[in-house]
Amino acid sequence: MKLLQMTDIHLSAPGTTVGGRDPNANFDRALSHALEHHPDADALFITGDLSEHGDPDDYSRLKERISALPLPAHVTLGNHDIRANFLSVFPELAGNSGLVNYTVPLPIGDAIVLDTLDDGAHEGRFSEATAAWMDAQLAALPGPVWIFLHHHPVAMGIKPMDDIMLVDADRFADTLRPHRDKIRHILHGHCHLPLSGSLLGIPFSAPRGTNHQGWPAFGSPDYATSDLPESYSVIIATTETTMIHMVEFGYTGEVYWESA
């Protein structure tokens, strides 16, 4: 099985920039690169911050773009999104309590896609309703399960980002705990940095985004950005293994080939 993860695409009005970069052009470049190099991918997951300002037009253009892809694309919300505007374009994704929580069957196991948006706030929420829903899904699914969400559920040690992490991280962990043996991997976004670690022994990872990038400024009270290349993830899995690559499609330097 091969999955693609893109995150923090931050679509905005045509002709505008975010972080000094054109997010619409960068998203198109990410898709073109992924389709060229990974035509065998089974699905694409986009883990939030779909729009910079939550404008309905951004969601309309996103829906048109991913509907034309030769593989299924699954999306969820981040802190820059506006749920009501998103659901006006993607009404089919309204789930429990009006949140964008749903499951996706995969060639190996199933994905759970979570809505951690707290409208009007940058920190994430894992509500009691979402916890009850996910607990029921995890109980019913045979596994393995892949969980996709926007906000990071484990503190990364950088204060301005940890101030806006998943504030209900304990509830999230408690919901996973009884089912952790069937959860293969947690994939998130939000931080604009390549991250990996574990929660209750469950591995997690995040790539940089498809537009602007962060910098791990430990000890700084301010969020730091950088000119690192735009990126997405490629997840390659068998029934027994998982390998995740961060592909820096925005890299414009040389690639040097060595003969065997």
Side-chain angles (χ1 to χ4, degrees):
M1 178 177 76
K2 180 184 283 188
L3 306 176
L4 305 173
Q5 181 197 4
M6 296 181 185
T7 195
D8 297 274
I9 63 176
H10 287 268
L11 300 183
S12 61
T16 63
T17 61
V18 176
R21 305 184 187 192
D22 183 338
N24 304 305
N26 281 327
F27 180 53
D28 281 341
R29 287 172 60 227
L31 291 174
S32 295
H33 190 279
L35 292 174
E36 177 184 356
H37 294 280
H38 305 285
D40 56 338
D42 294 293
L44 164 66
F45 291 83
I46 307 176
T47 49
D49 279 358
L50 308 174
S51 168
E52 172 69 3
H53 301 293
D55 293 338
D57 287 349
D58 294 338
Y59 300 127
S60 295
R61 284 183 287 105
L62 173 62
K63 189 170 192 177
E64 180 179 4
R65 187 71 176 87
I66 64 176
S67 296
L69 295 176
L71 76 170
H74 310 287
V75 300
T76 192
L77 301 177
N79 50 294
H80 281 259
D81 293 304
I82 296 176
R83 188 181 291 106
N85 290 348
F86 172 83
L87 288 175
S88 72
V89 178
F90 289 86
E92 68 277 10
L93 293 184
N96 65 302
S97 302
L99 302 179
V100 184
N101 295 321
Y102 57 98
T103 62
V104 177
L106 297 174
I108 299 176
D110 296 88
I112 291 179
V113 182
L114 294 176
D115 177 351
T116 57
L117 169 63
D118 183 8
D119 271 316
H122 286 297
E123 62 269 21
R125 292 286 177 185
F126 184 71
S127 68
E128 290 185 5
T130 295
W133 175 85
M134 189 168 79
D135 180 64
Q137 301 305 309
L138 288 170
L141 294 172
V145 175
W146 313 78
I147 297 177
F148 293 84
L149 74 163
H150 181 69
H151 294 85
H152 54 300
V154 174
M156 58 188 293
I158 298 176
K159 185 179 187 305
M161 287 306 301
D162 290 339
D163 286 344
I164 58 171
M165 66 179 285
L166 190 67
V167 296
D168 304 298
D170 288 346
R171 177 182 292 144
F172 180 73
D174 288 343
T175 307
L176 298 182
R177 196 181 309 276
H179 312 286
R180 58 188 172 184
D181 289 344
K182 65 171 66 173
I183 302 169
R184 177 72 71 88
H185 207 92
I186 300 166
L187 302 103
H188 69 84
H190 189 44
C191 302
H192 297 246
L193 288 169
L195 299 169
S196 62
S198 66
L199 170 62
L200 303 174
I202 305 164
F204 66 78
S205 62
R208 291 198 293 266
T210 62
N211 193 58
H212 50 296
Q213 312 307 332
W215 181 261
F218 295 96
S220 172
D222 301 314
Y223 178 68
T225 60
S226 71
D227 291 323
L228 290 166
E230 302 90 347
S231 306
Y232 63 85
S233 286
V234 178
I235 301 99
I236 301 171
T238 71
T239 56
E240 296 181 341
T241 65
T242 303
M243 173 58 70
I244 299 182
H245 298 263
M246 188 180 72
V247 178
E248 296 176 306
F249 72 93
Y251 174 68
T252 57
E254 294 291 334
V255 176
Y256 302 95
W257 305 96
E258 298 183 6
S259 58

